[in-house]
């Protein structure tokens, strides 16, 4: 159905202005100050007076349907994207989990397409996952980018399928050559293992020790190493996922000042929560890697969001139940499935903490949550902007709504939110994906299978702001 959104304040990554929007056949057809409903008699009219009309959120770091070996996450592509939609997100790029040892790159793509096809309620794509490197994998990368539209891949420097320097160097070089962006989970595995052995010898294995078991230097060292390897591999483009600390950010800033194509993502948990959570009775609710950091790191990350040295806000949504699944780690954090839910609370929390608290402008919020994710991951200008011809992916946002996060009002499939009771100013009131209302006032109104797989364009570096 055609739709006219009237009287809203449009916000894109550059400016905000009063205007109407006409949507036809799932795309933005017209943006003009006064679009007359009588000219479009069959169009549904939505009054957006007092609301911000922004490009729908794009969350480029989710883990739906993931099996982490010791547990299966509780959000699949239906419940995960339903939750995303209710939180103002219209597209996700999910990190595919590991497949069987030795499998090729297409293997997991097939598995994940099957997971999402009849389940996703908003649009989606996947990051490729590199489990090992050999000539076949290096050759296959080109087809993944050109034929399948998978123009980003993730490398892990820790966990079961960690890559060594030789594999990283080859992967990063080849990915740059075929037009893909390398994303990396940067943590120094050897340091983590050694520190854990020491903690084990001292009997310090309960969740309260999770933070100290993977200190921020483990992450920062791996970030620095990746930056240098990417530079040595012909200045290959590099994207750091879930940045949690200021030392890692310092390395990123250094590289960017020298003109290196490096980008960084952080997540709400690292901006709002800190490692004191591990001293709480319910510490298991906060088990993830990298872990929550000392409170002082939060300000450093906000500074990065404000000065342009952090580029995107994603969630790393990876949901396990607290009541059951996380309890496996009660006596030993190693047995706990790692990851936090958050796909539904990203937009309101970041608007509230960022825009309502005066740290960033509404346009910078759009840039961090939608426009830059779209540009970096080959979705722009189909998505991530308010422009004629773009997909009509929109979020109508009430900037003055005052409420608090309560898991009982969310739409994911787990049993808690790590952000419970946090007060929020601003909440999405309507989410529109390709012209269809998929959520309204926190209620899901979409349909399983409506979401489409999006073929992503090869990587093209967006301009980076000059850093002082
Ligand atoms: O603990 C986390 N973050 N789990 C999800 C997988 C990852 O490392 O991104
Ligand atoms: Zn990771
Ligand atoms: Zn992740």
């Amino acid at each position: 159905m055609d739709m006219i959104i009237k009287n809203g304040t449009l916000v894109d990554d550059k400016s905000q202005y009063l205007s109407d929007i006409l949507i036809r056949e799932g795309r933005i057809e017209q943006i003009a100050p006064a679009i007359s409903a009588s000219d479009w008699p069959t169009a549904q009219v939505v009054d957006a007076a007092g609301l911000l009309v922004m490009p729908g959120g794009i969350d480029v770091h989710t883990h739906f349907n993931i099996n982490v070996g010791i547990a299966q996450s509780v959000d699949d592509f239906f419940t995960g994207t339903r939750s995303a939609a209710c939180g103002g997100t219209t597209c996700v790029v999910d990190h595919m989990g590991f497949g069987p040892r030795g499998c090729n790159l297409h293997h997991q793509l097939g598995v994940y397409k099957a997971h999402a096809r009849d389940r996703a309620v908003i649009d989606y794509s996947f990051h490729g996952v590199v489990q090992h490197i050999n000539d076949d994998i290096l050759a296959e990368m080109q087809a993944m980018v050109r034929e399948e539209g998978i123009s980003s891949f993730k490398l892990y420097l820790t966990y079961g399928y960690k890559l060594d320097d030789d594999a990283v160097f080859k992967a990063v070089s080849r990915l740059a050559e075929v037009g893909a962006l390398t994303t990396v989970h940067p943590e120094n595995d050897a340091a983590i293992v050694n520190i854990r052995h020491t903690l084990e010898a001292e009997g310090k294995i309960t969740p309260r020790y999770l933070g100290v078991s993977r200190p921020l230097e483990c992450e920062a060292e791996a970030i620095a190493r990746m930056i240098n390897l990417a530079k040595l591999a012909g200045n290959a483009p590099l994207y750091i996922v879930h940045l949690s600390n200021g030392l890692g950010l310092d390395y990123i800033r250094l590289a960017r000042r020298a003109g290196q194509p490096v980008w960084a993502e952080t997540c709400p948990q690292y901006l709002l929560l800190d490692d004191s959570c591990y001293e709480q009775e319910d510490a298991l609710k906060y088990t993830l890697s990298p872990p929550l950091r000392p409170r002082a790191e939060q300000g450093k990350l906000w500074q990065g969001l404000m000065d342009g040295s952090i580029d995107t806000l994603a969630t790393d949504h990876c949901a396990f139940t607290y009541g059951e699944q996380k309890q496996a780690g009660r006596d030993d954090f190693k047995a706990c499935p790692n990851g936090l839910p958050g796909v539904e609370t990203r937009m309101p929390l970041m608007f509230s903490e960022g825009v309502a608290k005066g740290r960033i402008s509404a346009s910078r919020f759009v840039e961090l949550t939608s426009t830059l994710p779209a540009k970096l991951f080959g979705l722009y200008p189909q998505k991530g902007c308010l422009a004629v011809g773009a997909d009509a992916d929109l979020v109508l946002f009430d900037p003055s709504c005052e409420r608090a996060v309560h898991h009982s009002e969310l739409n994911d499939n787990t049993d808690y939110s790590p952000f419970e009771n946090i007060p929020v100013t601003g909440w999405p009131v309507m989410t529109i994906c390709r012209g269809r209302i998929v959520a309204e006032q926190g209620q899901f109104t979409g349909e399983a299978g409506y979401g489409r797989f999006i073929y992503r364009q090869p990587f093209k570096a967006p301009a980076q702001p000059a850093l002082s």
Side-chain angles (χ1 to χ4, degrees), residues 329-342:
R330 207 171 16 205
D331 302 322
D332 179 355
F333 61 74
K334 248 192 9 253
C336 185
N338 274 348
L340 302 189

Side-chain angles (χ1 to χ4, degrees), residues 61 63 154 242 316:
H61 194 154
H63 297 273
K154 188 171 184 186
H242 49 43
D316 198 9

Side-chain angles (χ1 to χ4, degrees), residues 196-337:
R196 198 174 58 227
H197 285 162
T198 305
L199 290 172
E200 279 167 355
E202 294 167 353
K204 296 176 176 169
I205 57 170
T206 58
R208 85 172 354 239
Y209 297 103
L210 183 79
V212 292
S213 77
R214 311 172 89 95
L216 65 82
E217 290 79 7
C218 296
E219 182 186 351
E221 183 283 328
I223 289 172
R225 181 163 27 113
M226 280 304 301
I227 286 173
N228 287 316
L229 287 173
K231 170 103 184 175
L232 292 165
N235 224 18
L238 178 67
Y239 178 92
I240 307 295
V241 304
H242 49 43
L243 177 72
S244 73
N245 74 86
L247 182 59
L249 180 56
D250 287 344
Y251 292 131
I252 292 164
R253 278 208 189 96
L254 262 182
R256 283 173 66 139
R257 284 201 188 101
Q260 199 176 330
V262 181
W263 289 268
E265 157 198 296
T266 191
C267 311
Q269 53 271 30
Y270 301 118
L271 297 162
L272 273 95
L273 306 174
D274 63 63
D275 61 0
S276 65
C277 293
Y278 298 126
E279 279 151 38
Q280 295 173 191
E281 179 85 357
D282 60 355
L284 285 168
K285 286 182 179 168
Y286 307 96
T287 52
L288 83 166
S289 46
L292 300 177
R293 301 302 190 190
R295 200 176 161 75
E297 301 307 310
Q298 293 176 359
K300 300 173 193 172
L301 296 176
W302 276 112
Q303 189 54 43
L305 291 166
M306 293 188 285
D307 70 18
S309 50
I310 297 180
D311 307 281
T312 64
L313 282 164
T315 62
D316 198 9
H317 180 101
C318 186
F320 300 98
T321 59
Y322 172 64
E324 238 175 85
Q325 291 175 302
K326 293 262 185 197
Q327 296 306 319
R330 207 171 16 205
D331 302 322
D332 179 355
F333 61 74
K334 248 192 9 253
C336 185

Side-chain angles (χ1 to χ4, degrees), residues 102-155:
C103 70
N104 67 13
L105 299 173
H106 281 79
H107 181 277
Q108 285 306 86
L109 181 59
V111 169
Y112 269 71
K113 279 189 167 177
H115 284 328
R117 190 173 294 119
D118 299 325
R119 305 288 287 161
V121 310
I122 55 171
D123 291 349
Y124 57 91
S125 177
F126 314 107
H127 303 279
V129 58
V130 181
Q131 297 179 203
H132 66 287
I133 284 293
N134 58 29
D135 288 348
D136 291 342
I137 295 287
L138 293 170
E140 197 187 350
M141 286 172 171
Q142 180 151 29
M144 287 288 281
V145 177
R146 304 285 158 164
E147 290 164 23
E148 309 289 356
I150 300 297
S151 52
S152 55
F153 290 78
K154 188 171 184 186
L155 320 181

